[in-house]
Amino acid sequence: PPGGKSGRQRCPGGLVHYMLEGHGEVEIDGTRLEWEAGDCIALPIKSSGVEYRFFNLDPYLPARYLMGTPNFFEILGVDLGSSFEQLEDAEL
């Protein structure tokens, strides 16, 4: 939502986000990077996992993105052989 942020999550990585609308920041393992519509953000694959969170810097308009990942669920399971953790809830 406008001015919101996603929850902080940890996953094995390998996720790709294509930013459809808005502008903001993404925090990946403590490093913040700016993004805008049309940007593509790929999370690295790390055995220890990757922590990430998205911030919408627009106080009036929502941000929208698509996320995709290779389908390794049959081989590695839903947690992709590592883990997926919701470390902190989203704020509206």
Side-chain angles (χ1 to χ4, degrees):
K5 62 182 176 180
S6 71
R8 188 167 53 100
Q9 299 178 336
R10 178 184 297 128
C11 73
L15 305 178
V16 176
H17 300 80
Y18 180 74
M19 311 315 285
L20 296 170
E21 295 178 354
H23 71 279
E25 292 180 336
V26 60
E27 182 178 359
I28 302 171
D29 288 335
T31 300
R32 283 195 182 201
L33 305 165
E34 289 190 36
W35 60 263
E36 62 184 36
D39 285 348
C40 186
I41 299 165
L43 300 180
I45 297 173
K46 295 170 50 179
S47 60
S48 60
V50 177
E51 287 186 23
Y52 66 99
R53 168 190 297 201
F54 285 90
F55 298 86
N56 180 1
L57 299 181
D58 192 313
Y60 304 108
L61 298 174
R64 292 186 338 129
Y65 62 87
L66 293 174
M67 189 278 296
T69 184
N71 187 357
F72 294 135
F73 298 141
E74 294 266 335
I75 300 167
L76 300 175
V78 174
D79 64 0
L80 297 179
S82 182
S83 67
F84 176 84
E85 296 179 66
Q86 182 73 23
L87 301 173
E88 192 173 312
D89 290 336
E91 291 184 23
L92 305 177

